[in-house]
Amino acid sequence: MVTGIIFSLIGVLILLLATCGSIINNSLTARIRESKREIGTLRAVGATNKVLTMSYIKQLLSMFIWGNGAGFILLGLIYLASKISMIMQKNELIEAGFTLPDLVLLPTIIAVVCLFVICSLNLYIKIKKETRHSIIENIREL
């Protein structure tokens, strides 16, 4: 039964990571498609794929910092409330209630890093594809 629960939790974790990756990639891919013309202009002026990729990876990093920062702060507040509740229970100020187990952040951090790497690789591929076509489209418009 425990093995089944663990596999179910792993399945839910993979599903949530895939959903997060899809949302992030779709939003950044839409930004890339919307700025096709600007990308073409930047490429015509001399911007390299590396410069363009790094600008979008910085946007991705900003999204990850804000999103994960908010999540970790919320998790920390919940954990702090649980610890305060445990102290109050020991001092018999309140009746025994719900407490959280010890917090283990390493699997969460590993999942975030994996998600960031996958999203970065996808961004690199999308930008490489768009830069190849954007110069040709800008030349056609001229």
Side-chain angles (χ1 to χ4, degrees), residues 29 32-33 36 39 49 122-135 137:
T29 301
I32 292 169
R33 267 190 252 121
K36 247 187 206 182
I39 290 174
N49 278 344
N122 186 45
L123 265 179
Y124 175 76
I125 292 168
K126 298 280 183 183
I127 291 172
K128 190 173 180 180
K129 178 182 170 188
E130 286 300 323
T131 55
R132 190 177 321 129
H133 298 296
S134 62
I135 294 175
E137 289 181 15

Side-chain angles (χ1 to χ4, degrees), residues 3-14:
T3 306
I5 291 172
I6 289 173
F7 282 127
S8 297
L9 289 174
I10 290 172
V12 169
L13 178 67
I14 291 171

Side-chain angles (χ1 to χ4, degrees), residues 47 77 108:
L77 290 174
T108 306

